[in-house]
Amino acid sequence: MFLGVDGGGTKVAFCLLSSDGTVVSSTSLSSASFDGRDHDVLTRLLDSGISAVCSQADVLAEDIEYAFFGLPAYGEVSSVVPVLDRIPLQLLHHRRYTCDNDMVCGWAGSLGTAEGINVISGTGSMAFGVHRGRRARAGGWGELFGDEGSAHWIAIRGLAAFARMSDGRVARGPLHDLLRERLGLVDDIEAIHVVVNRWGARRSEVAALSAVVDRAAAAGDAVARQILTAAAAELVLVVRACRRALQVAADEAVPVSYSGGVFSADLVRDGFTLGMRRLGGYEVRAPLFTPVVGAALQAAALAGASLAPDAMRRLRAGAGLAQPEVGEQAAHRT
């Protein structure tokens, strides 16, 4: 039995995977209360999730063969790594686990732990890849001066377009009315109060507005379509940077996949795929599994017990297929 944990800005997901390729139990918990610094909150989240999946499967935490924890911000602040490394020991009561950044979950899920690059676009964005034993990441600099192509990035540009439409700098399109309805506005200027004061500009709530931008694009809004097209182009750049960091030879084709809710937007997914194909040297693959299943697969791999081909086929035929939603998190951290 292998435990996978995928942390993120919207939720923390858990699953127990058996060696025959069956997802025995799974659950997810909101991570909106976790700001990346309060490790007591993270400990409680992990404790609740582990207890839930173990109860569903009628096993004890001590019975888990190996666990992989994809944790927000892991490895991004060196002084915090030892603190995060100790948390699972309190909950599992054994040391058969590994902690790493949650970007690994997206890669392991989308490519089934095979070498290649996965680009994440959920609340935040980044790419992570493995090639000939080397690991590399690109992007993931946070919403203040990075996370290009992410749900938060899209939403901020959607809100900026709403403001420009409202005061006449840009012609109004469907995006204006859709955002006005979503924010529950009586007057357009109240958008400031709703987003900044009522929501506190929280990443997860702002990022969820990317779904409205996608709806507006589907309704023919030219500005919304430009935002999503630009997001796809930014994600292509992140993959290119990751490839360079991995030192992949120019004549090698690199498998590339994706995870995170933004990729359920047709303009982003199709634009990204087309952009990668135009570059050449990439083999774009649809994601095999969700990041949380990827975490469990990574746990099995780290235990030296990677699933056999028939077990992988069983997993693909079962509940492990990737089904992202717009605005759903697969980001680097909260």
Side-chain angles (χ1 to χ4, degrees):
M1 199 74 71
F2 304 102
L3 171 67
V5 179
D6 172 43
T10 300
K11 67 180 182 180
V12 181
F14 305 77
C15 82
L16 278 176
L17 175 68
S18 68
S19 58
D20 69 354
T22 302
V23 175
V24 178
S25 59
S26 63
T27 193
S28 63
L29 301 172
S30 171
S31 62
S33 60
F34 176 59
D35 65 1
R37 296 180 296 273
D38 191 337
H39 299 116
D40 288 338
V41 172
L42 177 62
T43 301
R44 290 193 293 271
L45 278 170
L46 295 178
D47 188 27
S48 296
I50 293 170
S51 296
V53 292
C54 285
S55 177
Q56 292 174 29
D58 195 24
V59 299
L60 299 175
E62 293 89 336
D63 298 328
I64 295 170
E65 179 67 21
Y66 207 88
F68 180 81
F69 292 82
L71 301 178
Y74 189 93
E76 295 173 9
V77 182
S78 58
S79 61
V80 173
V81 169
V83 178
L84 295 175
D85 277 335
R86 288 193 296 267
I87 291 176
L89 180 61
Q90 306 171 41
L91 311 176
L92 298 177
H93 311 296
H94 61 72
R95 296 182 181 274
R96 300 188 303 277
Y97 66 85
T98 294
C99 298
D100 207 328
N101 193 283
D102 54 312
M103 64 186 178
V104 178
C105 303
W107 159 78
S110 67
L111 292 170
T113 71
E115 290 196 344
I117 298 171
N118 180 66
V119 61
I120 304 163
S121 183
T123 302
S125 67
M126 67 186 305
F128 172 76
V130 177
H131 179 73
R132 300 188 186 279
R134 294 186 292 271
R135 292 168 34 128
R137 59 176 280 177
W141 290 92
E143 71 275 13
L144 187 61
F145 51 87
D147 283 357
E148 296 87 350
S150 68
H152 191 279
W153 187 91
I154 290 168
I156 289 296
R157 279 149 186 78
L159 287 167
F162 171 83
R164 292 167 68 86
M165 289 177 181
S166 178
D167 60 23
R169 285 174 286 169
V170 175
R172 291 187 179 183
L175 179 64
H176 177 268
D177 287 343
L178 288 171
L179 271 174
R180 183 183 173 95
E181 177 186 2
R182 171 65 181 81
L183 297 174
L185 306 179
V186 174
D187 191 282
D188 287 359
I189 198 67
E190 293 176 352
I192 301 171
H193 172 68
V194 173
V195 176
V196 178
N197 299 329
R198 188 185 303 168
W199 293 0
R202 284 184 294 274
R203 289 178 74 239
S204 58
E205 293 191 69
V206 172
L209 296 178
S210 65
V212 181
V213 179
D214 186 40
R215 286 173 55 201
D221 191 293
V223 176
R225 292 181 65 86
Q226 290 170 5
I227 292 170
L228 296 180
T229 299
E234 291 287 350
L235 296 171
V236 169
L237 291 177
V238 175
V239 171
R240 290 183 68 186
C242 189
R243 177 187 178 121
R244 286 194 293 270
L246 287 169
Q247 303 173 37
V248 179
D251 60 351
E252 288 188 75
V254 180
V256 173
S257 193
Y258 47 85
S259 58
V262 169
F263 280 102
S264 64
D266 292 344
L267 278 173
V268 176
R269 185 183 62 256
D270 295 346
F272 172 78
T273 301
L274 180 60
M276 298 310 308
R277 287 175 177 165
R278 282 176 173 169
L279 285 177
Y282 297 92
E283 179 189 332
V284 181
R285 301 178 182 179
L288 294 173
F289 308 109
T290 57
V292 67
V293 171
L297 289 171
Q298 182 70 349
L302 291 171
S306 296
L307 270 62
D310 60 335
M312 290 292 281
R313 285 191 290 271
R314 184 176 295 108
L315 183 59
R316 291 190 65 181
L321 293 176
Q323 297 175 339
E325 298 176 4
V326 170
E328 181 184 1
Q329 168 64 303
H332 61 295
R333 56 188 171 86
T334 56

